[in-house]
């Protein structure tokens, strides 16, 4: 794990997350963690090829998946499928176990891949699966998730647990794939990903709503609608949040002054940067840097 980006969601230019794996040679990340309002990893829309699981231990939270907000309480687990736009929401302090792993770990043979993995990860109508109190598989998947932190450095045990969890996923997914329940896919997701890509490359400049919409060849009204659907905020507010996440990265990984960081992240001055940063993360940039330095 790269400690310099611990607590941050670092993304590629296309908006996909660079998962901070526990072991560089094995694509898995497991964390017995916590969240609370205004932490730097809250409300950061992203996607990745990896499968993401989270089980709530204490408190309550929510996950937004493709614009759908799913509430989670103690004992609940959610699986977010490959390449879905998602982020966490913390109305209060919450404790959870998160498990992110690349589906290639399951693909021991082509037959396994085609019969047991692809039908789920390639299913655009299955963006997520939720396991809650009344679900027959909830206790089993929650128990397996709570065991994950103790075995996170044992790649064989992690693999075995992933197979056990995936068998539960297959059973639950069969209800949806057999037509017992429906989840609607949204063909406009790629338009939103295109605009995220544009902003990741252009956030340092004086970006306008018209330019954001033009990057996906859509109207400003549809641009606004898609941002509100997928992230619950306007395109410009999303841009400000993105800039503040970049500020946090510089505060943690470089000795640059606040003036230099403001120039690097598209802010017109330290005062405006500090005001905006506090809005999203609940503290000033100086206080955030001191807090981070105190943890190392």
């Amino acid at each position: 794990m790269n400690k310099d980006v611990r607590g941050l969601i670092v993304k590629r230019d296309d908006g996909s997350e660079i998962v901070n794996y526990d072991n560089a040679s094995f694509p898995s990340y497991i964390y017995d963690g916590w969240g609370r309002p205004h932490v730097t990893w809250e409300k950061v829309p992203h996607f990745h090829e990896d499968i993401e699981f989270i089980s709530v231990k204490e408190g309550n939270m929510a996950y937004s998946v493709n614009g759908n907000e799913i509430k989670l309480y103690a004992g609940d687990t959610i699986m977010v499928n490959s390449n879905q736009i998602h982020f966490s929401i913390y109305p209060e302090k919450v404790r959870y176990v998160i498990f992110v792993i690349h589906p290639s770990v399951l693909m021991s043979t082509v037959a396994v891949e085609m019969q047991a993995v692809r039908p789920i990860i390639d299913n655009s109508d299955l963006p997520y699966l939720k396991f809650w109190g009344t679900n027959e598989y909830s206790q089993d998947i929650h128990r397996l998730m709570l065991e994950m932190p103790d075995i996170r450095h044992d790649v064989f045990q992690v693999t075995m647990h992933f197979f056990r969890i995936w068998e539960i996923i297959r059973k639950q997914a069969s209800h949806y794939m057999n037509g017992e329940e429906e989840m609607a896919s949204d063909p406009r997701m790629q338009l939103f990903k295109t605009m995220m890509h544009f902003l990741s490359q252009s956030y340092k400049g004086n970006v306008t709503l018209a330019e954001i919409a033009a990057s996906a060849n859509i109207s400003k009204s549809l641009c606004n609608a898609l941002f509100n659907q997928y992230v619950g905020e306007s395109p410009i507010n999303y841009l400000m949040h993105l800039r503040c996440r970049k500020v946090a990265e510089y505060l943690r990984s470089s000795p640059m002054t606040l003036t230099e960081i403001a120039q690097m992240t598209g802010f017109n001055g330290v005062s405006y940067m500090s005001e905006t940063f506090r809005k999203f993360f609940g503290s000033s940039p100086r206080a955030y840097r001191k807090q981070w330095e105190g943890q190392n």
Side-chain angles (χ1 to χ4, degrees):
M1 176 188 290
N2 183 351
K3 293 183 179 180
D4 288 341
V5 296
R6 187 179 60 205
L8 294 172
I9 292 178
V10 181
K11 298 194 287 186
R12 300 177 180 86
D13 284 346
D14 66 357
S16 62
E17 182 186 2
I18 303 172
V19 179
N20 192 17
Y21 295 132
D22 295 321
N23 185 327
S25 63
F26 185 75
S28 168
Y29 170 75
I30 299 167
Y31 182 56
D32 186 351
W34 58 273
R36 57 174 171 75
H38 302 302
V39 291
T40 51
W41 59 95
E42 182 189 26
K43 297 180 181 178
V44 183
H46 61 284
F47 61 93
H48 41 63
E49 290 184 346
D50 306 76
I51 310 296
E52 184 163 325
F53 302 89
I54 195 161
S55 275
V56 180
K57 297 171 65 176
E58 300 173 13
N60 74 88
M61 61 178 293
Y63 249 43
S64 175
V65 183
N66 297 344
N68 298 307
E69 186 173 311
I70 304 102
K71 297 186 183 300
L72 300 170
Y73 301 90
D76 292 348
T77 301
I78 189 172
M79 181 277 282
V80 180
N81 210 347
S82 179
N83 285 314
Q84 308 304 307
I85 299 170
H86 61 282
F87 57 88
S88 56
I89 304 167
Y90 306 118
E92 63 179 24
K93 188 168 183 178
V94 61
R95 291 195 60 85
Y96 54 78
V97 172
I98 187 169
F99 174 37
V100 184
I101 189 165
H102 198 278
S104 60
V105 173
L106 295 168
M107 299 174 188
S108 54
T109 66
V110 173
V112 170
E113 176 182 352
M114 301 308 295
Q115 294 177 21
V117 183
R118 289 290 172 192
I120 294 175
I121 67 172
D122 291 342
N123 188 344
S124 61
D125 294 326
L126 199 67
Y128 68 89
L129 291 172
K130 179 184 174 183
F131 300 84
W132 65 102
T134 59
N135 186 283
E136 62 182 306
Y137 307 117
S138 292
Q139 290 186 354
D140 290 340
I141 197 167
H142 188 66
R143 174 183 54 79
L144 288 166
M145 284 291 294
L146 295 187
E147 293 173 358
M148 297 303 288
D150 291 334
I151 62 170
R152 62 194 291 256
H153 296 299
D154 186 331
V155 297
F156 179 76
Q157 287 297 324
V158 171
T159 301
M160 292 293 290
H161 270 57
F162 188 23
F163 270 94
R164 294 185 184 109
I165 289 172
W166 197 252
E167 180 58 21
I168 295 173
I169 296 300
R170 292 182 67 210
K171 290 175 182 177
Q172 180 71 358
S174 66
H175 298 319
Y176 298 95
M177 291 188 288
N178 290 335
E180 295 180 25
E181 299 187 46
E182 293 184 1
M183 291 186 185
S185 59
D186 188 348
R188 302 184 302 179
M189 186 194 305
Q190 188 55 49
L191 296 175
F192 180 73
K193 288 182 177 180
T194 297
M195 290 185 287
M196 282 203 304
H197 185 193
F198 169 75
L199 287 174
S200 71
Q201 295 183 318
S202 309
Y203 70 91
K204 296 180 183 180
N206 186 22
V207 182
T208 66
L209 174 60
E211 290 171 331
I212 298 171
S215 70
N217 197 28
I218 60 175
S219 67
K220 290 188 289 186
S221 61
L222 180 54
C223 172
N224 269 312
L226 289 179
F227 272 86
N228 277 291
Q229 174 186 341
Y230 282 106
V231 295
E233 59 184 359
S234 70
I236 299 303
N237 204 56
Y238 173 89
L239 172 61
M240 293 298 103
H241 195 181
L242 170 61
R243 286 174 174 165
C244 286
R245 294 199 300 272
K246 295 297 182 181
V247 170
E249 290 180 32
Y250 284 122
L251 289 170
R252 297 172 67 156
S253 62
S254 80
M256 287 194 298
T257 66
L258 296 187
T259 300
E260 291 171 329
I261 292 175
Q263 293 171 346
M264 289 291 293
T265 53
F267 285 103
N268 294 321
V270 172
S271 178
Y272 182 44
M273 179 184 75
S274 298
E275 177 186 348
T276 308
F277 189 89
R278 185 184 293 275
K279 172 186 173 182
F280 288 109
F281 297 140
S283 69
S284 69
R286 293 184 190 278
Y288 180 84
R289 175 174 266 172
K290 288 181 180 179
Q291 180 184 25
W292 171 246
E293 290 173 347
Q295 295 175 0
N296 291 279

